[in-house]
Amino acid sequence: MYLTNDEERILSGQNGEVMERMFRLLVRLGEIYGADRMIPVSSVQVAGVSYKSIGDPGVEFLEDYASKGAKVKTVTFLNPSGMDIEDWQKLNVPAAFAEKQLRIMKAFREMGIVVSATCTPYLAGNLPRFREHIAWSESSAIAFSNSVIGARTNREGGPSALAAALCGVTPNYGLHLDENRKPQMLVEVDAKLEDSADFGALGYVVGKQVKNRIPYFTGIKDPDTDQLKALGAAMAASGAVALYHVDGMTPEAHLMQTEGLEKLSVSGKDLNETFTKLSTGKEPDIVILGCPHSSLKEIMTVARKVEGKKLKKPLWVCTSRMVKEAANRMGFTQTIEAAGGKVVADTCMVVAPIEDMGYKTTAVNSGKAANYLPGFCKQNVIFGRLDSILEKVTA
Ligand code: F3S
């Protein structure tokens, strides 16, 4: 792998221990995957933020790096943390958990990382352009940026994304290269897709079949941004899909050849079976929306649906701090709160310690959350379209 003189100097420790370790990690990755060189990245998103995921070793690691003066070289956002950084007390997050989470956020901030903790950085002030090289590490954000925006990122882990942020580069391999972005399976969809949950169910079914490959969809008509983020999130969760193309919709689709590809057909029956399969609970203790983090439009939709009603069970609408700020200004947050719900920033149903907060059954409209909640949060799940799950908790 070719390294510049400056990069050789980093590797020999001339820029300090932290830089040497981080750059060595990138070189190792590049060697494993056959990269020819490093390429600059203009945006990074770091996962591994919740205390629930990284525990005490993670806290100590980050504080050590921050105390040694590590600073990011490019705009870097964070994945959701374990709690709403401002409103955690109102949400009854255990104090011991909060203390550790706040230390994590402090260490990231000291490194120059924007402590906006969200899996939709592209809706919150970190929007790459088509063909821009980036290093993101949350799976739904990776799928969205590669597929819907046409930016280029591999599936970074938390450490490799942090290394890219501190060094400003990433090894040039995988999805950074044209030849690795071609579709490997043709998915013909013959189903009514109306709600984001339908796209989540579709993503779940396709991810299971495609597994780590790149699907090319036909039959998806006029999806909106929120539906595409739901599709990518569910596929990333069930099949590690990092890039997909949608005929006539996503920016690289028209460049792709689909002749001779293995075919998969998905029908409405497949989607209905998925809703049934992923729904393991009956009565929800809580409804949590916003996986991936809600857009302003999604929050507005929820606000309109619950306006003037009284919720029988808690409702969280998860989003980024920036979008919550806009929702506050528009009065959407206040409408949802008047009904008994909350707009929750910086966290989500999977990385928050909901299993320690008394919740056993969670209703969601996300294929990804429905897939993850049993394993990560010991939850029974109700997976359904927005209207149907709100109906369960609305008086
Ligand atoms: Fe985002 Fe959490 Fe879902 S990180 S994609 S809201 S599981």
Side-chain angles (χ1 to χ4, degrees):
M1 181 175 179
Y2 168 76
L3 296 181
T4 64
N5 289 342
D6 281 349
E7 288 168 349
E8 293 285 5
R9 274 194 286 278
I10 298 171
L11 208 52
S12 67
Q14 290 182 42
N15 291 27
E17 178 206 337
V18 169
M19 286 297 284
E20 182 195 336
R21 275 162 60 184
M22 291 281 91
F23 198 71
R24 197 168 289 286
L25 169 64
L26 296 178
V27 170
R28 188 83 195 99
L29 272 175
E31 285 169 352
I32 291 169
Y33 291 106
D36 58 345
R37 64 193 161 99
M38 295 291 173
I39 47 171
V41 286
S42 44
S43 159
V44 175
Q45 192 239 9
V46 173
V49 178
S50 172
Y51 176 62
K52 179 170 157 180
S53 319
I54 65 174
D56 289 329
V59 181
E60 283 157 25
F61 169 86
L62 293 169
E63 288 183 336
D64 179 44
Y65 272 31
S67 73
K68 288 178 172 143
K71 285 271 183 277
V72 296
K73 291 211 167 42
T74 188
V75 63
T76 303
F77 275 41
L78 292 177
N79 207 36
S81 75
M83 62 185 199
D84 188 312
I85 299 305
E86 292 178 14
D87 280 346
W88 60 270
Q89 278 156 316
K90 283 190 207 153
L91 296 164
N92 301 323
V93 175
F97 183 96
E99 190 259 325
K100 297 287 173 70
Q101 188 63 61
L102 292 172
R103 279 173 56 188
I104 292 168
M105 303 314 269
K106 180 167 175 282
F108 277 128
R109 192 171 55 241
E110 284 171 6
M111 286 189 248
I113 296 177
V114 181
V115 281
S116 163
T118 180
C119 52
T120 57
Y122 47 88
L123 298 178
N126 187 354
L127 176 66
R129 62 158 172 76
F130 184 60
R131 289 185 183 278
E132 190 164 337
H133 294 285
I134 62 176
W136 285 14
S137 57
E138 195 282 321
S139 65
S140 78
I142 292 164
F144 190 94
S145 58
N146 271 321
S147 315
V148 183
I149 301 170
R152 299 185 165 204
T153 178
N154 285 317
R155 285 168 56 84
E156 301 294 346
S160 66
L162 184 60
L166 294 174
C167 301
V169 294
T170 195
N172 188 33
Y173 72 93
L175 293 174
H176 291 287
L177 304 173
D178 283 342
E179 62 265 31
N180 297 326
R181 299 178 67 87
K182 294 177 184 157
Q184 296 156 308
M185 196 164 193
L186 183 65
V187 181
E188 297 170 331
V189 182
D190 181 15
K192 229 185 196 179
L193 300 166
E194 292 178 330
D195 188 282
S196 282
D198 298 326
F199 283 81
L202 173 64
Y204 177 85
V205 173
V206 174
K208 285 271 172 211
Q209 300 289 326
V210 168
K211 283 202 185 80
N212 230 337
R213 290 177 288 171
I214 300 171
Y216 185 105
F217 286 92
T218 61
I220 297 183
K221 304 270 178 312
D222 219 13
D224 69 20
T225 308
D226 296 321
Q227 292 167 336
L228 291 174
K229 82 177 160 63
L231 173 67
M235 268 192 299
S238 67
V241 171
L243 166 64
Y244 64 90
H245 303 288
V246 181
D247 192 46
M249 293 291 149
T250 55
E252 289 169 287
H254 69 286
L255 304 170
M256 303 299 164
Q257 296 291 332
T258 55
E259 286 91 55
L261 290 180
E262 184 186 337
K263 285 188 186 164
L264 170 69
S265 298
V266 182
S267 66
K269 182 166 162 278
D270 296 319
L271 303 194
N272 288 337
E273 284 171 4
T274 301
F275 282 114
T276 306
K277 177 180 163 188
L278 292 178
S279 294
T280 52
K282 289 211 159 38
E283 285 303 314
D285 298 323
I286 183 168
V287 172
I288 312 186
L289 308 171
C291 172
H293 270 177
S294 300
S295 65
L296 190 60
K297 184 170 131 193
E298 288 176 309
I299 298 175
M300 179 183 75
T301 303
V302 175
R304 287 184 177 168
K305 286 184 187 291
V306 301
E307 187 165 17
K309 303 198 171 139
K310 274 286 159 224
L311 297 167
K312 294 184 281 187
K313 297 284 170 68
L315 162 72
W316 290 7
V317 185
C318 298
T319 191
S320 63
R321 178 68 51 196
M322 284 77 159
V323 170
K324 181 172 177 182
E325 185 56 36
N328 294 347
R329 288 194 180 188
M330 292 306 297
F332 303 149
T333 307
Q334 295 82 341
T335 301
I336 291 169
E337 283 178 357
K342 289 192 169 65
V343 176
V344 175
D346 308 316
T347 189
C348 78
M349 64 289 269
V350 171
V351 294
I354 60 169
E355 65 278 26
D356 299 330
M357 296 164 69
Y359 302 123
K360 291 192 167 49
T361 302
T362 300
V364 295
N365 63 343
S366 159
K368 174 174 177 177
N371 187 4
Y372 275 11
L373 280 169
F376 281 91
C377 305
K378 302 187 189 85
Q379 295 294 296
N380 297 311
V381 169
I382 297 160
F383 175 36
R385 298 178 181 98
L386 182 61
D387 283 341
S388 83
I389 59 173
L390 285 180
E391 213 168 81
K392 286 188 186 294
V393 293
T394 315

